[in-house]
Amino acid sequence: MANRRGGDGERLLQTRLGTAERAGRFYDEQVLAHVNARMREFVARQEMFFLATADRNGVCDNTFRAGPPGFLRVLDDRTLAYPEYRGNGVLASLGNIEENPHVGILMIDFFRDRIGLHVNGRARVVDDAVLRAVHPGLPVEECPGRRAVVWVEVAVEEAYVHCSKHIPHLLKASREAGVDGRSWGTDDVRRKGGDFFGAAAGVQ
């Protein structure tokens, strides 16, 4: 069971800054140990999220994940799963999960509701065949760039709202190939961004 009253650092700062009562209301009214029906509907239509992980020493990493609507799957009200597609081979997030299962997922709807959802939990890396044996309804992708190499299964410990204040309202562009010069699931290095920041070129 998650500690829904926050950590020691949170409570210390709440006392020091005089926010303990307000924080208590948030914990009591907004933080769940599962994803409720509205959260599940929200998750099912998301096309992206931000993923926070850390290794056993607390060295953290934050990354972006994207896919077709519902690629972050709600397996039940206490379990989510998402596919890890073929990437740059570094496997930083998966490596962190192998050392430290605690993860934070942040989904933000910039387009319709302008609201966010945090899900914190414990993750494990699961082979595609193993997860499909338990959940045979998982989608099958033909495009190599969108084919699951492995899945990350997340046991939900906390789920809570990210308020709409300061979330910009964005307009969605078409994802069809050629509209913005990108092809969904591509392995083309140039279309994936190449050496955009000049690291390989030695830009100072």
Side-chain angles (χ1 to χ4, degrees), residues 4-5 10 14 19-28 31:
R4 292 171 58 193
R5 304 302 301 183
E10 287 180 38
Q14 289 161 11
T19 68
E21 183 178 347
R22 181 153 41 105
R25 288 197 301 272
F26 183 83
Y27 293 138
D28 291 339
V31 182

Side-chain angles (χ1 to χ4, degrees), residues 143 145-146 174-193:
C143 175
R146 278 171 43 175
S174 172
R175 182 177 265 163
E176 294 178 7
V179 173
D180 62 356
R182 303 179 192 187
S183 180
W184 183 237
T186 185
D187 286 324
D188 185 293
V189 173
R190 182 183 59 82
R191 289 190 173 184
K192 291 195 295 183

Side-chain angles (χ1 to χ4, degrees), residues 135-149:
H135 301 280
L138 293 174
V140 177
E141 293 288 353
E142 298 301 326
C143 175
R146 278 171 43 175
R147 196 173 297 150
V149 177

Side-chain angles (χ1 to χ4, degrees), residues 44-184:
R45 58 184 170 82
Q46 297 311 303
E47 300 178 63
M48 60 184 176
F49 65 84
F50 301 94
L51 174 69
T53 61
D55 66 16
R56 67 168 60 92
N57 298 310
V59 178
C60 64
D61 184 73
N62 186 266
T63 189
F64 174 75
R65 291 290 182 268
F71 81 107
L72 176 60
R73 312 284 293 185
V74 179
L75 301 181
D76 58 54
D77 66 355
R78 294 180 183 272
T79 315
L80 307 181
Y82 66 88
E84 279 284 350
Y85 305 128
R86 185 176 62 199
N88 60 14
V90 174
L91 307 177
S93 299
L94 293 180
N96 284 346
I97 289 168
E98 288 291 298
E99 296 185 32
N100 174 2
H102 298 285
V103 299
I105 291 173
L106 173 60
M107 293 159 269
I108 298 182
D109 181 349
F110 296 98
F111 311 108
R112 193 179 92 178
D113 298 321
R114 291 179 56 227
I115 202 78
L117 175 64
H118 293 264
V119 175
N120 298 325
R122 297 176 67 88
R124 68 185 186 112
V125 180
V126 184
D127 287 343
D128 182 66
V130 172
L131 196 64
R132 287 182 190 282
V134 181
H135 301 280
L138 293 174
V140 177
E141 293 288 353
E142 298 301 326
C143 175
R146 278 171 43 175
R147 196 173 297 150
V149 177
V150 293
W151 291 78
V152 174
E153 186 181 82
V154 180
V156 177
E157 294 182 331
E158 293 182 320
Y160 56 92
V161 69
H162 184 98
C163 76
S164 61
K165 187 168 69 171
H166 306 310
I167 293 178
H169 186 193
L170 306 181
L171 297 178
K172 188 177 292 189
S174 172
R175 182 177 265 163
E176 294 178 7
V179 173
D180 62 356
R182 303 179 192 187
S183 180
W184 183 237

